[in-house]
Amino acid sequence: AQGRIAWTVVALVVSVLTLGYYGYDKRQARLGGRRVPEVILHGLAIAGGTPGAWVGMRLFRHKTIKGSFRIVFFTIAVLQLALAAAVAWRLGRGA
């Protein structure tokens, strides 16, 4: 139980951090400042920040038009969902 709580806290922290990065990058884009590299935004999603990235895309209307960015983001999200489903299925079988 403690392990699940720890992973949940880590995922929440990474998601909030990711949301912050999306907001910061959007602000920098509007101000013409130094931007956050896309590899960092995708890396945060891979690290567990996918929910925060998705909220950031919606809340800040950021990175919603650029097709190549969206393809990578949604590929990450689908792979993470598939992995979570596989782990849940495996744990449900008692393995």
Side-chain angles (χ1 to χ4, degrees), residues 61-82:
R61 295 185 190 163
H62 192 48
K63 299 290 189 185
T64 57
I65 294 174
K66 188 171 183 183
S68 60
F69 185 90
R70 290 178 44 178
I71 289 169
V72 173
F73 170 76
F74 284 111
T75 300
I76 291 167
V78 167
L79 290 173
Q80 287 176 335
L81 286 172

Side-chain angles (χ1 to χ4, degrees), residues 44-61:
L44 287 165
I46 290 169
T50 301
W54 186 83
V55 170
M57 290 172 73
R58 299 291 168 249
L59 181 65
F60 303 117
R61 295 185 190 163

